[in-house]
């Protein structure tokens, strides 16, 4: 029980440090810990410092999938681009449980603010990348998630997507 309490306190300290570093805010901290270390709250299961939760593994796979979609050429078509944008918000907000703000105009799909801007299209994904890497280090996972800036053709494709949606699609806007 002492190992669990100490580990949970260290995790809380990690979250505070990440919040300061990235200017984000975590919510549902207990749920986040339980998703990453699902066995540690059960006395009948062995304590495990290694991140091994199924949700944690799914988050890493979703991140890799989003990166692959970003760098794939030819670029995504408008329906896939919308899904890509929404899935980034879901990864950050629903899975990793953090909130952040973007000062620039962003794409909105129906009522969802995707937090994707033309000025920094990879910002949301970059935050998720950093958070996941911190969790990997804390959880003793020997995996480092790599990403770079979006390719120039992707940035142009995003501008074209904005123009396309302005002309053809009322469910997506940029504000």
């Amino acid at each position: 029980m002492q190992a669990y309490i100490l580990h949970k306190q260290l995790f809380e300290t990690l979250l505070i440090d990440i919040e300061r570093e990235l200017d984000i805010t975590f919510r549902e901290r207990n749920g986040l810990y339980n998703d990453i270390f699902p066995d540690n709250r059960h006395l009948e299961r062995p304590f495990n410092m290694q991140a091994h939760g199924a949700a944690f593994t799914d988050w890493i796979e979703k991140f890799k999938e989003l990166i692959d979609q970003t760098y794939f050429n030819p670029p995504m078509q408008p329906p896939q681009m919308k899904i890509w944008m929404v899935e980034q918000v879901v990864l950050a907000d629903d899975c990793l449980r953090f909130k952040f703000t973007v000062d620039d105009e962003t794409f909105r799909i129906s009522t969802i603010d995707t937090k994707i801007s033309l000025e920094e299209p990879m910002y949301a994904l970059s935050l998720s990348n950093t958070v996941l890497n911190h969790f990997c280090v804390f959880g003793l996972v020997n995996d480092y998630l790599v990403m770079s800036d979006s390719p120039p053709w992707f940035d142009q494709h995003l501008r074209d997507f904005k123009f396309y949606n302005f002309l053809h699609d009322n469910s997506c806007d940029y504000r």
Side-chain angles (χ1 to χ4, degrees), residues 40-90:
N40 290 356
R41 68 180 188 275
H42 301 286
L43 290 175
E44 67 278 358
R45 297 181 191 164
F47 177 77
N48 190 346
M49 289 179 51
Q50 186 168 10
H52 62 282
F56 179 70
T57 303
D58 290 345
W59 303 338
I60 291 173
E61 291 308 310
K62 177 50 70 179
F63 172 81
K64 289 177 180 178
E65 180 182 309
L66 289 167
I67 289 294
D68 289 346
Q69 291 171 347
T70 304
Y71 295 103
F72 188 79
N73 199 359
M76 297 170 267
Q77 295 301 309
Q80 290 80 28
M81 181 66 81
K82 286 182 189 179
I83 293 168
W84 176 84
M85 289 180 178
V86 171
E87 285 182 344
Q88 286 188 60
V89 173
V90 169

Side-chain angles (χ1 to χ4, degrees), residues 78-136:
Q80 290 80 28
M81 181 66 81
K82 286 182 189 179
I83 293 168
W84 176 84
M85 289 180 178
V86 171
E87 285 182 344
Q88 286 188 60
V89 173
V90 169
L91 178 62
D93 191 37
D94 294 344
C95 300
L96 298 173
R97 298 178 180 100
F98 69 83
K99 299 277 188 194
F100 64 99
T101 58
V102 176
D103 295 332
D104 303 320
E105 291 182 336
T106 58
F107 287 95
R108 294 180 184 273
I109 299 174
S110 297
T111 60
I112 301 170
D113 179 2
T114 67
K115 312 260 183 173
I116 307 295
S117 72
L118 291 174
E119 290 75 20
E120 290 188 78
M122 302 296 282
Y123 184 64
L125 207 49
S126 174
L127 290 174
S128 293
N129 178 57
T130 302
V131 168
L132 283 167
N133 279 329
H134 278 295
F135 290 168
C136 285

